[in-house]
């Protein structure tokens, strides 16, 4: 099967459709070969920022919809923007054009379900984005999954109503007036229904495939790196470095926010509190604020129950439409998004299921390069029981008090056009491009992940397989992994049928992949992804349900295109028994019942690696080893990454043995090591933060302090890289760690001034683990202050007016400062060379600095300033080109000594001092 690949191919396809802190080895995240210039880097940064802004634009649309901000929603459109709303299949109503008309349409569409009226609900989630930026960077297309939860709240006349509907957005965007705007919002509805009956396919009819604007190649290249000459830029390299850092910080904060969601799902309170700063807060609207780790833990227990899930407990709280805004200084950030809680207890004595619709608005702080949650505020909008469904769910406003306010919205418009002040430091253009490739990789991975889900929804097996790399391996549920595109295609076809795009489908099982946590390699060419499977279904004959599972995937850049490398799905952790009973109606399996069989393909089309061959990692899943575990029993939960704040392996300090760690980045690689990243020319991705610790004891002035730097990563992650010690912009030392050693001791300059010195140890240049840093203080203690009443003996030191003095003989009540008195003023350069002071005694041979020159004492001297050609000091001077030392009038020369002077070399004929070379009758002979 021949495939069109590479940026040029992606360009053709799209045109045919509607801190790091230290330099690392050059990456090839986009595998470009053109030299990096300031102009090209500025252009590329703007392109990546554009993809982010388009996503934030659409997510803002969803967030505004929750509160009926229809005018603000309409303002997200271009002036001539259009809204096209489908009716049935691929049919649509006439377009609504212009902001004013769109606002009016939105108001009418919402009706009583506007999010404004007390108790009303209009939570719309837009997720699973596939963004394709045009070659000129001025327009784009985007596909999104859409699901809308709506309710009237109490009504004066008639019956309150709650509805659920969903479908596909195939939107278009344009960059105008310095910001991205929606030029076309086109909605293809696929299912709808009232809460009391559940949703079904539109009008109970079979559904066609919604045309995709993307191909597997274009999905893997959300940005097509231009190869022509970039236009001139007014940006400085420092500004571009700041913007790239901001993108990377955005990735880190989003990962942290989504990790919080995963930990909450499992009631992992030990892990949750470690995500917060020590003085962090957790506020639950209408409940109060908790401050500090202990209170935050208790607040989560009060809300969701004790640590760890037990049989029948569901605490699923997926995070949707997350928008991150990083402050200009890169030290604080805000994340805003939508949380939908599916809460329940399937215990037959309880049978409780509950929906919760909330907004999170969280602030974050960076501490020594590690992002932490500073203040979290969750605002529940509506809480409602699921069963009995005849009660209407959230139709009448639910069972919770109304929110006390509206969390602020983030203004993300025009970000790609904003000028960002730069800070000095990051100026290596090649390394900046590598770092940009890494953050662009987040978008490439999310694009391919979403594209895979959409194509699998439509059972387009061959096209879905094309999202994989040539040597990729994909899991077929309940069976195992198939190697290579052809085998992936055939496994899909044999499982699901032909997948003809023109076929009308009587049912669809959707593969939403929200809450991505993306771990990126240092060179930007490989990545790991942990994401949810949010799996609503629809059909034309029965009410849809939702199921929940988790993906553990890896990705690579192949021929400039992001592709899936390994795909594993752990399914299912929970499921609705049916719409009427929801997730709380599930009954435990008979413990004596035999395991259900693995997938039929085990006999008809055997995989390259079976689930059984992987062993413990697939224990309890259908098709794996051990006893089959099914909801409402709690399945093992696997994590691919360590705690992003503490670095601890999740669950490792609690008794919950259902939390497991799998850092390989490839589930079947336990059985098939040849499939691992390093065996295929790719870097293994970091699993979490790297930590730098420093020990340095206080020292006395004039004594060299030491600082021991230790670098720690995760288990089985070797520390190979560079440590650089800096005080401000001054490098105090550097060293390379390798061969199993993870610490180094630096000896600091002996002449550090008294007081506290703030230094930072940076670790980087590793192709395996993340950069890290630690800021610490070195204290240099000055002698005690001089006292008029104290008695001092020879050798005693004191501090007076910030200067250090040493007693030459016994003294009392004699103020330091007299050049002929008992006190010698001590001063030295940082590297320990004495600085001449009038009161200090120097012996023959002593070296000092004075007025930017170096001098040597010829005999004992005090209070005789260097510079007198007949005095005790001779200047030491050497030309930079390696010639004999420069002649100085103060230096004593003897017969045979050579000097440089006036561009010539001279040799002394006899003893001389203060006699300038050049006189033919003098002591100097011209040599050259």
């Amino acid at each position: 099967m021949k495939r069109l690949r590479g940026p040029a191919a992606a360009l053709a396809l799209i045109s045919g459709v509607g801190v790091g802190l230290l330099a690392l080895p050059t990456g090839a995240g986009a595998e470009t070969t053109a030299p990096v210039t300031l102009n090209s880097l500025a252009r590329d940064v703007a392109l990546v920022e554009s993809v982010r802004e388009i996503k934030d634009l659409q997510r803002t649309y969803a967030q505004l919809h929750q509160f009926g901000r229809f005018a603000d929603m309409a303002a997200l459109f271009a002036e001539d923007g259009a809204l096209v709303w489908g009716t049935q299949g691929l049919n649509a109503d006439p377009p609504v054009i212009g902001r004013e008309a769109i606002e009016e349409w939105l108001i009418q569409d919402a009706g009583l379900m506007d999010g404004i009226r007390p108790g009303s609900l209009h939570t719309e989630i837009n997720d699973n984005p596939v963004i394709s930026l045009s070659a000129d960077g001025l327009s784009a297309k985007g596909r999104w999954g859409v699901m809308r939860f709506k309710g009237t709240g109490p009504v004066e006349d008639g019956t309150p109503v709650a509805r659920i509907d969903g479908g596909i957005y195939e939107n278009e965007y344009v960059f105008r007036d310095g910001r991205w705007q929606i030029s076309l919002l086109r909605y293809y509805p696929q299912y709808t229904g009232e809460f009391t009956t559940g949703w079904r396919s539109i009008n109970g009819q079979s559904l066609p495939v919604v045309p995709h604007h993307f191909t597997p190649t274009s999905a893997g290249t959300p940005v097509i790196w231009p190869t022509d000459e970039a236009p001139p830029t007014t940006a400085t390299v420092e500004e571009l470095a700041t913007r790239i850092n901001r993108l990377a910080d955005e990735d880190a904060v989003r990962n942290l926010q989504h990790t919080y969601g995963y930990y909450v799902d499992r009631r992992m309170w030990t892990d949750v509190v470690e995500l917060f700063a020590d003085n962090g807060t957790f506020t639950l609207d209408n409940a109060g604020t908790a401050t500090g780790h202990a209170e935050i833990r208790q607040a989560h227990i009060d809300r969701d129950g004790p640590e760890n899930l037990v049989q029948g407990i569901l605490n699923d709280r997926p995070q949707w439409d997350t928008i991150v805004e990083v402050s200009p200084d890169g030290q604080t950030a805000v994340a805003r998004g939508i949380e939908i809680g599916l809460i329940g207890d399937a215990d037959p004595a309880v049978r409780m299921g509950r929906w919760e619709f909330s907004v999170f608005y969280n602030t974050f702080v960076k501490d020594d390069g590690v992002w932490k949650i500073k203040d979290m505020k969750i605002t529940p909008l509506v809480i409602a029981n699921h069963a009995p469904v005849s009660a209407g769910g959230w139709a009448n406003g639910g069972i919770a008090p109304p929110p006390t306010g509206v969390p602020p919205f983030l203004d993300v418009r025009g970000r790609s056009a904003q000028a960002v002040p730069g800070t000095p430091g990051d100026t290596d253009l090649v390394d900046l491009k590598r770092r940009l490739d890494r953050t662009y990789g987040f978008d490439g991975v999310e694009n391919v992940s979403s594209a895979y889900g959409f194509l699998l929804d439509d059972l387009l097996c061959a096209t879905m397989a094309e999202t994989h790399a040539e040597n990729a391996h994909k899991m077929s549920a309940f069976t195992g992994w198939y190697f290579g595109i052809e085998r992936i295609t055939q496994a899909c076809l044999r499982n699901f049928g032909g997948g003809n795009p023109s076929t009308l489908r009587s049912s669809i099982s959707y593969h939403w992949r929200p809450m991505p946590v993306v771990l990126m390699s240092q060179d930007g060419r490989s990545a790991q992804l942990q994401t949810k499977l949010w799996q609503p279904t629809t059909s034309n004959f029965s009410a849809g349900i939702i199921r929940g599972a988790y993906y553990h995937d890896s990705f690579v850049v192949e021929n400039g295109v992001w592709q899936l490398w390994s795909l594993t799905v752990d399914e299912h952790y929970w499921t609705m028994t049916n719409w009427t009973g929801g997730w709380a109606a599930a009954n435990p399996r008979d413990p004596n019942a035999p395991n259900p069989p693995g997938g039929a393909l085990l006999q008809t089309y055997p995989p390259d690696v079976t689930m059984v061959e992987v062993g413990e990692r697939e224990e309890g899943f259908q098709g794996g080893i051990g006893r089959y575990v099914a909801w409402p029993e709690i399945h093992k939960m696997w994590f691919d990454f360590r705690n992003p704040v503490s670095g601890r392996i999740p669950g490792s300090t609690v008794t919950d043995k259902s939390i497991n760690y799998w850092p390989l980045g490839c589930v079947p690689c336990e059985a098939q090591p040849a499939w691992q990243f390093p065996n295929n020319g790719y870097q293994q991705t970091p699993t979490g933060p790297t930590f730098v610790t420093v020990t340095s004891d206080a020292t006395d002035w004039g004594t060299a302090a030491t600082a021991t730097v230790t670098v720690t990563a995760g288990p089985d992650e070797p520390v190979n890289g560079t440590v650089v010690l800096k005080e401000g912009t001054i490098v105090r030392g550097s060293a390379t760690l390798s061969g199993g050693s993870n610490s180094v001791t630096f000896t600091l300059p002996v002449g550090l001034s008294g007081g506290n010195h703030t230094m930072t140890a940076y670790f980087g240049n590793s192709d395996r683990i993340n950069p890290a840093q630690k800021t610490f203080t070195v204290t240099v203690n000055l002698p005690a202050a001089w006292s008029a009443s104290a008695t001092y003996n020879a050798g005693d030191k004191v501090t007076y007016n910030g200067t250090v003095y040493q007693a030459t003989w016994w003294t009392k009540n004699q103020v330091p400062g007299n050049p002929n008195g008992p006190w010698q003023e001590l001063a030295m350069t940082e590297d320990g060379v004495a600085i001449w002071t009038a009161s200090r005694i120097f012996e023959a041979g002593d070296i000092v600095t004075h007025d930017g020159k170096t001098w040597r004492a010829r005999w004992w001297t005090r209070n005789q300033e260097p510079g007198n050609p007949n005095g005790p000091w001779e200047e030491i001077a050497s030309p930079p080109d390696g010639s004999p030392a420069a002649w100085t009038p103060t230096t004593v020369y003897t017969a045979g000594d050579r000097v440089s002077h006036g561009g010539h070399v001279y040799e002394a004929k006899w003893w001389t001092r203060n006699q300038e070379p050049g006189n033919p009758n003098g002591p100097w002979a011209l040599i050259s």
Side-chain angles (χ1 to χ4, degrees):
M1 186 181 298
K2 186 177 180 181
R3 298 196 288 169
L4 191 58
R5 290 287 196 165
L11 174 58
L13 288 165
I14 290 179
S15 64
V17 298
V19 97
L21 298 161
L22 300 171
L24 287 148
T26 301
E31 298 192 351
T32 54
T33 57
V36 182
T37 66
L38 186 65
N39 291 337
S40 70
L41 184 64
R43 175 192 59 195
D44 293 350
V45 169
L47 292 173
V48 177
E49 288 174 329
S50 291
V51 173
R52 298 294 175 91
E53 188 178 333
I54 291 165
K55 292 180 184 179
D56 288 347
L57 175 68
Q58 192 63 52
R59 288 166 175 157
T60 298
Y61 177 91
Q63 293 185 15
L64 292 169
H65 219 160
Q66 272 194 299
F67 296 93
R69 301 297 180 92
F70 303 117
D72 293 329
M73 293 170 67
L76 300 177
F77 286 76
E79 286 188 5
D80 57 352
L83 182 150
V84 177
W85 207 257
T87 56
Q88 169 63 41
L90 303 181
N91 298 323
D93 290 328
V96 180
I97 300 175
R99 293 171 181 164
E100 185 175 337
I102 290 172
E103 179 185 357
E104 183 60 32
W105 186 94
L106 291 169
I107 293 171
Q108 293 179 4
D109 175 68
L112 298 180
M113 306 179 192
D114 58 9
I116 301 173
R117 300 174 61 258
S120 65
L121 177 71
H122 199 135
T123 290
E124 173 179 314
I125 52 176
N126 307 157
D127 228 304
N128 270 31
V130 181
I131 305 300
S132 301
L133 197 64
S134 66
D136 62 7
L138 298 178
S139 62
K141 296 187 176 184
R143 187 181 182 99
W144 301 78
V146 184
M147 202 166 185
R148 305 198 301 170
F149 302 84
K150 303 179 292 182
T152 61
V155 294
E156 294 182 3
D157 299 317
T159 303
V161 175
R163 298 188 65 84
I164 301 175
D165 58 50
I168 301 294
Y169 280 150
E170 270 285 353
N171 295 347
E172 298 181 12
Y173 307 88
V174 64
F175 188 76
R176 290 181 188 165
D177 303 322
R179 65 182 180 90
W180 281 96
Q181 303 170 51
I182 301 171
S183 57
L184 171 64
L185 186 143
R186 177 158 187 165
Y187 178 60
Y188 294 87
Q190 295 190 309
Y191 53 89
T192 187
E194 293 191 11
F195 185 89
T196 53
T197 59
W199 69 81
R200 288 169 175 76
S201 299
I202 296 292
N203 295 330
Q205 298 180 17
S206 296
L207 297 170
V209 171
V210 174
H212 305 81
H213 79 267
F214 61 87
T215 68
T217 301
S218 65
T221 50
V223 169
I224 304 169
W225 304 117
T227 56
D228 56 342
E229 185 175 353
T233 182
T234 59
T236 65
V237 65
E238 291 83 8
E239 177 188 335
L240 296 179
T242 300
R243 290 163 64 183
I244 293 170
N245 287 342
R246 182 174 65 176
L247 290 166
D249 286 333
E250 186 179 320
D251 296 341
V253 171
R254 186 181 293 104
N255 277 350
L256 178 55
Q257 176 64 52
H258 291 167
T259 298
Y260 169 84
Y262 285 114
Y263 290 170
V264 168
D265 286 352
R266 298 289 295 198
R267 300 204 312 202
M268 298 165 59
W269 306 142
T270 298
D271 298 272
V272 162
V273 298
E274 288 182 352
L275 302 179
F276 285 78
D278 290 342
N279 60 344
T281 67
F282 174 82
T283 300
L284 185 62
D285 193 38
N286 278 310
T289 297
T291 302
H293 286 190
E295 289 188 9
I296 291 171
R297 175 193 292 272
Q298 188 59 49
H300 282 82
I301 292 173
D302 292 343
R303 183 192 190 197
D304 289 329
E307 187 153 32
N308 306 332
L309 296 181
V310 295
Q311 181 167 304
I313 297 297
L314 183 66
N315 197 60
D316 225 49
R317 295 185 179 275
Q319 320 276 292
W320 304 94
D321 294 294
T322 301
I323 301 174
V324 176
E325 184 178 84
V326 179
S327 64
D329 65 2
Q331 298 302 303
T332 60
V334 176
R336 191 188 194 281
I338 297 168
E339 178 187 277
I340 299 179
L342 288 79
I343 314 301
D345 187 343
D347 185 329
V350 180
R351 296 293 193 202
M352 181 275 289
R354 188 174 70 239
W355 292 86
E356 297 187 8
F357 300 92
S358 304
V359 177
F360 60 84
Y361 183 91
N362 305 333
T363 62
F364 300 78
V365 63
K366 189 189 286 186
D367 181 7
D368 259 331
V370 176
W371 283 100
K372 301 177 181 180
I373 302 171
K374 180 64 174 66
D375 300 300
M376 173 174 286
K377 182 172 183 179
I378 297 178
T379 303
L381 304 182
V382 171
I383 298 176
N385 290 324
H386 181 84
V389 295
S390 58
W394 54 82
N396 62 3
I399 59 176
T404 61
V406 178
F409 294 95
L410 303 182
D411 184 6
V412 298
R413 295 175 298 175
R415 178 174 67 176
S416 57
Q418 294 173 0
V420 178
T423 55
D426 306 303
T427 57
D428 184 331
L429 293 179
V430 173
D431 191 58
L432 287 172
K433 181 59 168 67
R434 176 196 64 82
R435 288 162 50 193
L436 179 64
D437 288 344
R438 294 186 75 237
T439 193
Y440 162 71
F442 198 111
D443 300 293
V445 166
E446 186 172 45
N447 246 31
V448 176
S449 172
S450 300
Y452 164 85
F454 285 126
L455 295 170
L456 192 57
D457 293 350
D458 295 334
L459 301 183
L460 299 175
C461 292
T463 313
M464 176 276 294
E466 288 281 304
T467 63
H468 294 71
E470 294 286 352
N471 294 323
H473 22 96
K474 176 193 177 299
M475 183 184 195
S476 181
F478 320 129
T479 304
W481 289 264
Y482 292 85
F483 178 83
I485 293 170
E486 184 60 30
R487 301 241 318 138
I488 291 171
T489 302
Q490 289 301 317
C492 176
L493 289 171
R494 292 169 190 243
N495 243 350
F496 302 115
N500 186 344
S502 64
T503 300
L504 294 175
R505 294 159 298 164
S506 61
S507 64
I508 299 177
S509 184
Y510 295 93
H511 295 78
W512 289 52
R513 291 162 56 96
M515 283 175 59
V517 173
V518 180
L519 310 178
M520 188 64 55
S521 67
Q522 297 300 341
D523 65 2
R525 297 179 60 245
S526 52
Q528 285 179 230
L529 168 72
Q530 182 161 322
T531 185
K532 277 180 175 284
L533 169 58
W534 170 268
Q535 195 167 34
T537 66
T538 188
S539 75
N540 55 19
F541 48 81
S542 63
I545 62 170
I546 303 175
R547 295 177 291 219
Y550 297 86
Y551 282 100
H552 304 265
D553 304 337
S554 53
F555 296 74
V556 298
V557 173
E558 186 172 271
N559 299 323
V561 180
W562 276 100
Q563 302 279 282
L564 270 158
W565 176 256
S566 181
L567 182 141
T568 297
V569 58
D570 297 342
E571 59 182 340
H572 288 98
Y573 279 82
W574 63 271
T575 184
M576 288 182 169
T577 303
N578 49 51
W579 176 253
T580 301
W583 50 89
N587 292 311
R589 291 182 74 247
D590 180 350
N592 297 316
N595 285 346
L601 293 183
L602 285 168
Q603 282 71 46
T604 61
Y605 194 65
D608 296 279
V609 173
T610 67
M611 294 172 65
V612 170
E613 288 177 281
V614 176
E616 181 189 4
R617 176 59 179 79
E618 293 302 311
E619 182 180 3
F621 294 109
Q622 185 176 345
I625 68 170
R627 186 179 63 84
Y628 172 56
V629 176
W631 173 256
E633 192 173 352
I634 304 302
H635 214 301
K636 286 183 178 181
M637 175 68 185
W638 292 90
F639 279 92
D640 307 329
F641 55 93
R642 295 178 288 122
N643 187 299
V645 174
S646 70
R648 191 173 53 78
I649 294 174
S652 60
T653 63
V654 296
T655 59
D656 185 1
K657 301 305 181 184
S658 71
I659 306 301
N660 293 266
Y661 181 54
W662 194 264
L664 290 178
C666 162
V667 172
C669 289
E670 177 81 357
Q672 189 60 268
W675 294 354
Q676 293 181 9
F677 278 153
N679 295 330
N680 292 274
Y682 292 101
Q683 292 179 350
Q684 192 69 31
T685 58
T687 63
T690 304
F691 291 101
V692 174
T693 56
V694 183
T695 57
S696 179
D697 296 330
T699 189
D700 292 334
W701 183 88
T703 301
T706 61
T708 299
V709 179
T710 302
V711 180
T712 305
D716 301 320
E717 293 180 340
V719 176
N720 296 318
T722 304
V723 175
V724 176
L725 194 63
K726 285 186 175 183
E727 182 175 7
T729 59
I730 302 172
V731 175
R732 295 297 187 189
S734 65
T736 299
L737 298 178
S738 62
S741 174
N742 69 333
S743 65
V744 60
T745 298
F746 294 98
T747 299
L748 299 172
V750 69
L752 286 181
S753 60
N756 293 328
H757 293 258
T758 300
M759 299 187 184
T760 302
Y762 298 96
F763 171 79
N765 278 356
S766 172
D767 63 0
R768 179 65 179 87
I769 61 177
N770 281 318
Q773 66 185 67
K774 180 66 177 179
T775 299
F776 63 101
T777 299
V778 173
T779 300
V780 177
N781 296 319
L782 289 170
W786 175 82
S787 171
S789 61
T791 298
Y792 300 98
N793 296 309
D796 289 346
K797 293 178 181 178
V798 300
T799 302
Y800 182 72
N801 288 341
T803 300
V804 177
Y805 292 85
Q806 180 174 313
T808 308
W809 54 77
W810 184 97
T811 177
K812 182 178 182 180
N813 197 25
Q814 290 180 284
V815 179
N818 183 345
N820 298 309
W823 293 104
Q824 297 184 55
E825 180 184 349
L826 304 182
M828 68 180 76
T829 62
E830 282 197 349
D831 58 5
V833 178
I835 298 174
W836 180 86
T837 61
S839 60
R840 187 166 179 174
I841 295 172
F842 298 96
E843 304 289 345
D846 287 347
I847 305 295
V848 301
T849 64
H850 182 64
D851 284 347
K853 299 177 180 179
T854 302
W855 309 83
R856 180 189 295 114
R858 297 280 297 168
W859 54 79
W860 185 99
T861 176
R862 188 185 194 194
N863 198 22
Q864 290 177 286
E865 184 174 6
N868 183 341
N870 298 311
W873 295 102
E874 58 180 358
E875 183 182 353
I876 303 172
S878 298
D881 60 2
S883 301
W887 174 84
T888 69
T890 58
T891 301
V892 173
Y893 301 97
T894 58
D897 289 343
R898 291 192 175 189
V899 298
S900 298
H901 186 68
H904 298 284
V905 175
Y906 296 88
E907 184 177 289
K909 295 183 284 186
W910 55 76
W911 186 99
T912 177
R913 189 184 194 196
N914 197 24
Q915 290 179 285
E916 184 175 4
N919 183 347
N921 298 316
W924 294 102
L926 178 64
I927 302 300
S928 62

